[in-house]
Amino acid sequence: MSEALAHANIYTEEDYYNLPENVRAELIDGQIYYMSFPSRIHQEILSFLHLEIGNYLRSQNGSCKVYPAPFAVKLFSEDDRNMVEPDISVICDPNKLTDRGCTGAPDWIVEIVSPSNSSHDYVRKLNLYMEAGVREYWIVDPLSMKIFVYHLGETDFKADAYTLQDKIKVNIYDDLWIDFTELGL
């Protein structure tokens, strides 16, 4: 084992919360991953999805809430080495909500890919979200104009690919569709 690996820093939730306020980062398996600031298109997609999901949830009068980034999610309550900031988090169990964000897996997560972090969202976070018990995970890729929808059920794994010109069914709800043509990209 190399000297560098033997002395690698393992960071915790405390280190995450002690980062400077203007720094965007996530903590995954004890490692800090710095995030770039979002582009205008990223923010346009984020705003569109937040409004669409929020309007739907409000009309349902249910317990589900939608939170856009920055919003801290501690995926595993007993593990202080994983803190993520999904672009969109939908949480249906109010007991998971804390003053700092969410403790436990959101029901639905949407990540909007930035060119600098695509493998982070497609590989590292997909595996982490599956392990945590996220029910549905969407990756919106503005560069390729594609949307990947992952159904992360307890007994099955299914992935579907769409474009930013499609109307997509949200699988955790019976009657929610997101029509990306309304985004106008």
Side-chain angles (χ1 to χ4, degrees), residues 18-178:
N18 286 326
L19 290 169
E21 220 173 277
N22 63 338
V23 172
R24 296 191 68 224
E26 293 180 305
L27 177 67
I28 299 177
D29 294 328
Q31 297 302 303
I32 293 177
Y33 295 91
Y34 294 96
M35 300 161 55
S36 60
F37 287 94
S39 68
R40 182 190 60 81
I41 295 298
H42 181 283
Q43 291 302 93
E44 219 171 290
I45 295 168
L46 177 67
S47 294
F48 170 76
L49 288 171
H50 182 233
L51 287 169
E52 291 291 305
I53 297 165
N55 288 336
Y56 172 81
L57 294 177
R58 188 171 25 263
S59 75
Q60 299 302 300
N61 295 319
S63 62
C64 297
K65 302 282 185 191
V66 60
Y67 296 93
F71 182 74
V73 174
K74 181 178 180 178
L75 289 166
F76 307 97
S77 60
E78 301 302 318
D79 177 5
D80 69 346
R81 298 178 316 120
N82 287 289
M83 297 290 301
V84 294
E85 282 190 14
D87 289 307
I88 298 275
S89 300
V90 175
I91 297 110
C92 297
D93 180 352
N95 294 319
K96 292 181 179 180
L97 297 173
T98 69
D99 288 341
R100 286 188 145 174
C102 175
T103 298
D107 294 270
W108 177 23
I109 288 178
V110 179
E111 295 284 7
I112 302 162
V113 174
S114 298
S116 64
N117 73 350
S118 61
S119 66
H120 192 64
D121 291 330
Y122 283 107
V123 179
R124 187 174 287 118
K125 287 170 96 176
L126 171 62
N127 288 315
L128 191 63
Y129 294 159
M130 277 190 338
E131 183 183 337
V134 173
R135 294 168 50 207
E136 189 161 345
Y137 176 42
W138 289 23
I139 299 174
V140 180
D141 190 335
L143 199 57
S144 71
M145 304 288 281
K146 299 224 184 267
I147 301 157
F148 299 93
V149 175
Y150 298 91
H151 316 278
L152 308 176
E154 288 182 21
T155 58
D156 63 335
F157 173 93
K158 183 179 169 207
D160 295 307
Y162 300 93
T163 72
L164 288 176
Q165 299 304 310
D166 288 324
K167 186 175 183 179
I168 303 172
K169 167 97 171 60
V170 179
N171 292 285
I172 64 169
Y173 298 107
D174 292 333
D175 57 350
L176 176 56
W177 293 78
I178 305 289

